[in-house]
Amino acid sequence: MATEGAPPEFKLSLDSTAIAEGPEGIGESPFDFTAAPEAMEYPAELGDDPAIALRRTLGMFATGVTVITTSAHDQVHGMTANAFMSASLNPPLVLISIDRRAKMCNLLHEGDRYGVSILGEHQTEMSDRFAGRADDGVPQPAFEIVRETPLVEGALAHFVARVDRTYYAGDHSLFLGHVEYARHNEGAPLLYHGGRYERLGTDAQVVPELPEGLLPPLLAAGEQCSFADGDAIVRRGEVGDQLFVILSGNVTLQRPGHPDKHLEAGSYFGEVGALSGESRVSDAIAVGEVSCVAVGSDALKSVLAGSPDASWEMLGSLAQRVREA
Ligand code: FAD
C-alpha cells in the first residue's frame, strides 16, 4: 500500500478519507498508486539534479504569494508560501503544501487553525521577511487576530482555516483546511514566476526606454527592490555600481543647479555610474511606492557583451540623453 513508509502521523485510514460521491473512479482510493513510478525525464540543459530541474520547470507556473500564519505558545509564527490553492467551494476547503523541514510544518496539526494572507503587489518585503531573507531594517509586520488566528495587516485577502486533514506528500505535507473566515480588499496581487516577483500588467506599464533586446536579459540579471515614498534610492556622492530600471512608480532625480528630472515606469537611471564606476551626481528619490530592478555593473557589462546589437541601440539612447541634457 502506498502509505507504507510514510511517517506515522500521515498514515490515514482509507475508509475515513474516501469520497462518498464523485465522478466514477475519481477520489475513491487516494493513496493507491496504480503503477510503479518511472524516473522523471527532462532536458539535459536543466542539469544533473532532477529536483532542481523540476523546481525550475514548476517555476513557470505563475502564482500569487501568501503568508501562512499560526499562533503557538502565545507567539505568532509566519512563513511565505505560494503552494496554496482552493480545493472545494462546498464545503469550503483550501490546501497548502509545507516543506517538512519548515518550522510551520511542526506547528500545524489536525484541528489547529492557520491564517492565509494573500499579499498585495506592494508587499515584496513582507514576503522576503517570512521567507527568512529580509534585510535588516525591514519594518516589523503587524497582525490582526481573527478567530484566535493571526493575519498579516495590509494584505489583499485573508482566510482562516481549520486543519481538516493532513496528507503525506514526499518532502512536503499537505494541510487541507476548512475555511471559517474569508474577506478581501481591492488591489493588485503580488505574483511569483520563474523564481522572481512579478506584478500584473508589468509589460503594459513598462514602455521601455531601453532597447527591446536588452530589457529581458537585464530584468533577468537584476534583483527586484521596492522603495517607499521619499526613500533615497541612490544618493549623490555614492559610488555608482548599479543601473536601475523602474518597473512601477515614479522617481525624481535631484541635482543641485539643475531642474529636477522626473522618471516613470520603463525608464532607467544610474547607467553612468554602473558603466564607469564614477560617483553619483544626483539623488534619486522615490515618489510614492516604487519598484525597480537593480542590475550590478558586472551583470550589466555581461548583458551588453552578450547583445552587441542591443548595446549599439543603448548607446544611441544614451547619446539622446546627453543631447537632451
Ligand atoms: P522560519 O524560517 O523560522 O521563519 C520564516 C521567517 O519569518 C523568519 O525570518 C522569521 O524571523 C520570520 N517570522 C516568523 N514569524 C514572525 C513574526 N511573528 N514576526 C516577524 N517575523 C517572523 N515553503 C514551503 O514549504 N511551501 C511553499 O509553498 C513555499 N512557497 C514559497 C514562496 C516564495 C515566494 C518564497 C520566497 C518562499 C517559499 N517557501 C515555501 C519557503 C519558505 O517561505 C521558507 O523556507 C521559510 O523560511 C520557512 O519558514 P519556517 O516555518 O521554517 O520558519
Side-chain angles (χ1 to χ4, degrees):
M1 183 191 292
T3 47
E4 272 171 29
E9 70 270 28
F10 294 110
K11 284 188 179 161
L12 303 174
S13 138
L14 290 186
D15 290 341
S16 67
T17 56
I19 294 168
E21 284 179 52
E24 203 181 327
I26 296 183
E28 284 163 6
S29 54
F31 295 108
D32 285 345
F33 291 98
T34 49
E38 290 183 14
M40 188 181 82
E41 186 184 332
Y42 59 94
E45 63 263 25
L46 289 179
D48 295 334
D49 186 338
I52 293 177
L54 180 60
R55 193 176 178 151
R56 283 178 60 187
T57 310
L58 287 171
M60 292 300 103
F61 184 57
T63 65
V65 181
T66 74
V67 175
I68 308 298
T69 39
T70 192
S71 51
H73 317 297
D74 289 334
Q75 296 239 314
V76 173
H77 181 71
M79 71 159 266
T80 302
N82 65 343
F84 163 74
M85 64 176 276
S86 62
S88 161
L89 293 179
N90 188 14
L93 298 171
V94 292
L95 187 71
I96 54 174
S97 174
I98 309 285
D99 191 316
R100 301 190 61 214
R101 293 165 303 180
K103 241 181 242 164
M104 180 62 79
C105 199
N106 292 318
L107 294 176
L108 290 180
H109 306 96
E110 288 183 12
D112 291 347
R113 288 190 176 112
Y114 62 83
V116 181
S117 301
I118 297 184
L119 298 185
E121 64 173 5
H122 59 287
Q123 291 182 301
T124 50
E125 284 184 342
M126 198 64 77
S127 170
D128 282 344
R129 162 170 291 286
F130 287 108
R133 54 190 205 191
D135 292 336
D136 291 344
V138 169
Q140 284 294 326
F143 301 99
E144 178 191 350
I145 305 295
V146 173
R147 293 187 172 232
E148 298 157 4
T149 310
L151 297 168
V152 175
E153 278 190 0
L156 200 55
H158 290 117
F159 301 92
V160 173
R162 191 185 280 275
V163 180
D164 200 46
R165 291 265 193 276
T166 57
Y167 298 97
Y168 169 76
D171 55 14
H172 280 55
S173 299
L174 306 181
F175 295 88
L176 186 69
H178 189 109
V179 179
E180 295 181 340
Y181 174 85
R183 67 142 191 252
H184 75 278
N185 302 311
E186 292 308 314
L190 179 62
L191 303 181
Y192 198 66
H193 176 244
R196 51 183 296 127
Y197 298 119
E198 299 281 0
R199 284 177 173 75
L200 275 184
T202 291
D203 285 350
Q205 286 169 8
V206 178
V207 180
E209 208 189 324
L210 280 161
E212 241 177 64
L214 277 187
L215 191 64
L218 280 180
L219 294 184
E223 288 278 325
Q224 198 163 329
C225 39
S226 308
F227 301 93
D229 185 35
D231 279 357
I233 303 172
V234 303
R235 280 268 180 226
R236 208 150 46 88
E238 283 174 357
V239 176
D241 56 1
Q242 285 177 318
L243 163 95
F244 292 85
V245 182
I246 308 171
L247 295 180
S248 63
N250 296 303
V251 172
T252 301
L253 298 183
Q254 298 171 343
R255 183 178 176 185
H258 290 73
D260 287 355
K261 192 172 173 192
H262 302 288
L263 303 178
E264 296 178 344
S267 195
Y268 65 96
F269 60 95
E271 71 284 357
V272 175
L275 288 169
S276 67
E278 282 176 19
S279 306
R280 306 289 191 194
V281 293
S282 308
D283 291 332
I285 308 295
V287 182
E289 288 204 352
V290 171
S291 166
C292 291
V293 166
V295 187
S297 294
D298 290 344
L300 173 61
K301 285 171 193 164
S302 93
V303 168
L304 291 176
S307 324
D309 290 345
S311 305
W312 271 111
E313 267 189 74
M314 185 170 171
L315 270 181
S317 142
L318 288 174
Q320 180 67 29
R321 285 188 162 195
V322 172
R323 200 173 301 130
E324 283 167 8

